[in-house]
């Protein structure tokens, strides 16, 4: 937690001009990296603030500390977590612009990260059976359960294959999108590495002709013009593109009125390099009129 002295002003009203980014997520998923990225973007950052102090903090009469603030809250808050979701609604009703962001990662990834850093999990307990990995997995699953309600109202970022630079880039993207409308994310991925944890809708495009089997196209991606030209000539690709676009356009208004801040549409192929990347790039262009549309490529971003 930042050590600067913050003058107390309990009677100060919460201002409508104040912006709060609420960082939460599974331990080991990259919250420290995200918080540092926000600090670099000009936010005043507070780590591990007890949830019961959140409203009082945002009511402080000092713009330096509250005009643009990022607060990290996680399972270390203990029983106070139960009151965090109502607090988000309360602050919004008082005019605070809130963007909750939840970082997640696959259990295997989290186990590996804890093993590499040798840090204990916040929910770790004495290992009665002597099996450290088993105890760690149990702690991670318990943490998922405790944070499930908070995850539901947050923008989820799957950091399983993200390097720190990639996570910082994702944070910059999110900060650039409007906060007054639903953010639409199109994300490509490889089925052989699993479905992204942040996906709301998943479409499989593995039935389309694969540029991988055209020798000169193999080292390219779906962002390269020769691959674009190849797939644009496939009637199946055009038909599937139109069907996915129609689905998203049909339900986007309903999703926008469902108190959601974002929706992620994940498009998967075998390697996450050609077909899914092409489809995501094209969909991103088609929905550019939405005004809050992001394009991500999980495998390309991880290797770039």
């Amino acid at each position: 937690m930042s050590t600067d002295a913050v003058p107390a002003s309990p009677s100060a009203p919460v201002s409508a001009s104040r912006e709060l980014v609420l960082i939460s997520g599974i331990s080991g998923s990259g919250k420290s990296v995200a918080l540092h990225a926000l600090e670099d973007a000009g936010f005043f950052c507070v780590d591990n603030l007890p949830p019961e102090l959140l409203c009082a903090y945002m009511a402080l009469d000092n713009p330096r500390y509250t005009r643009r603030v990022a607060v990290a809250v996680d399972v270390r808050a203990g029983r106070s977590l139960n009151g965090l979701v109502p607090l988000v609604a309360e602050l919004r009703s008082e005019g605070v612009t809130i963007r909750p962001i939840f970082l997640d990662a696959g259990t295997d990834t989290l186990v590996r990260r804890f093993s590499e850093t040798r840090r204990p999990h916040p929910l770790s307990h004495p290992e009665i059976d002597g099996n450290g990995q088993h105890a760690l997995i149990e702690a991670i699953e318990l943490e998922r359960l405790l944070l499930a309600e908070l995850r539901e109202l947050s923008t989820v970022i799957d950091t399983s294959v993200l390097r720190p630079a990639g996570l910082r880039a994702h944070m910059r993207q999110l900060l650039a999108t409007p906060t007054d409308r639903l953010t639409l994310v199109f994300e490509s991925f490889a089925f052989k590495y699993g479905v992204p944890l942040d996906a709301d809708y998943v479409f499989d495009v593995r039935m389309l002709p694969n540029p991988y089997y055209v020798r000169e196209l193999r080292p390219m991606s779906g962002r390269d013009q020769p691959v674009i030209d190849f797939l644009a000539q496939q009637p199946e690709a055009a038909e599937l593109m139109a069907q996915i676009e129609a689905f998203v356009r049909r339900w986007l208004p309903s999703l926008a009125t469902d108190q959601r801040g974002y929706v992620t549409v994940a498009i998967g192929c075998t390697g996450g390099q050609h077909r899914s990347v092409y489809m995501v790039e094209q969909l991103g262009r088609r929905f550019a009129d939405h005004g809050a549309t992001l394009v991500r490529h999980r495998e390309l971003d991880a290797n770039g």
Side-chain angles (χ1 to χ4, degrees), residues 8-9 29 47 49 60 87 98 108 110 115 127 132 136 143 191 233 257 270 273 282:
S9 182
S29 60
D47 187 20
L49 181 73
L60 293 173
L87 285 177
I98 301 182
D108 290 346
L110 296 170
S115 175
E127 298 161 15
L136 176 57
E143 186 176 26
F191 272 101
Q233 295 169 7
T257 59
T270 304
Q273 179 180 342
Q282 298 303 311

Side-chain angles (χ1 to χ4, degrees), residues 51-98:
E52 58 266 31
L53 299 181
L54 186 58
C55 286
Y57 180 88
M58 293 305 298
L60 293 173
D61 189 18
N62 191 323
R64 176 190 173 192
Y65 303 112
T66 57
R67 186 179 65 83
R68 299 181 79 211
V69 59
V71 173
V73 179
D74 55 37
V75 76
R76 291 173 293 174
R79 295 181 180 180
S80 300
L81 276 174
N82 295 331
L84 188 55
V85 171
L87 285 177
V88 170
E90 180 181 340
L91 285 169
R92 279 180 172 153
S93 70
E94 295 175 350
V96 178
T97 299
I98 301 182

Side-chain angles (χ1 to χ4, degrees), residues 202-240:
V202 177
F203 292 94
D204 185 349
V205 299
R206 287 176 293 184
M207 75 288 290
L208 300 180
N210 193 350
Y212 178 85
Y213 295 110
V214 180
R215 185 166 55 183
E216 58 269 25
L217 300 182
R218 181 173 297 182
M220 300 181 184
S221 79
R223 294 185 292 198
D224 293 314
Q225 195 59 48
V227 176
I228 294 171
D229 294 340
F230 173 86
L231 288 169
Q233 295 169 7
Q234 312 300 323
E236 308 100 306
E239 182 179 0
L240 185 53

Side-chain angles (χ1 to χ4, degrees), residues 83-162:
L84 188 55
V85 171
L87 285 177
V88 170
E90 180 181 340
L91 285 169
R92 279 180 172 153
S93 70
E94 295 175 350
V96 178
T97 299
I98 301 182
R99 192 193 296 267
I101 297 176
F102 189 98
L103 305 182
D104 204 347
T107 299
D108 290 346
T109 299
L110 296 170
V111 169
R112 174 176 52 79
R113 289 176 182 172
F114 274 104
S115 175
E116 290 172 350
T117 62
R118 299 186 179 276
R119 293 182 61 191
H121 190 280
L123 296 178
S124 59
H125 50 79
E127 298 161 15
I128 298 175
D129 59 2
N131 189 331
Q133 180 168 314
H134 179 69
L136 176 57
I137 292 174
E138 285 186 343
I140 292 170
E141 295 309 314
L142 175 58
E143 186 176 26
R144 291 193 192 284
L145 182 63
L146 294 173
L147 296 174
E149 188 177 7
L150 185 57
R151 189 184 195 277
E152 283 296 311
L153 60 83
S154 304
T155 298
V156 180
I157 299 178
D158 181 1
T159 69
S160 299
V161 299
L162 275 182

Side-chain angles (χ1 to χ4, degrees), residues 259-279:
Q259 304 300 314
R260 301 182 59 141
Y262 81 104
V263 62
T264 297
V265 179
I267 313 290
C269 63
T270 304
Q273 179 180 342
H274 297 104
R275 294 165 293 181
S276 61
V277 171
Y278 166 78
M279 297 289 280

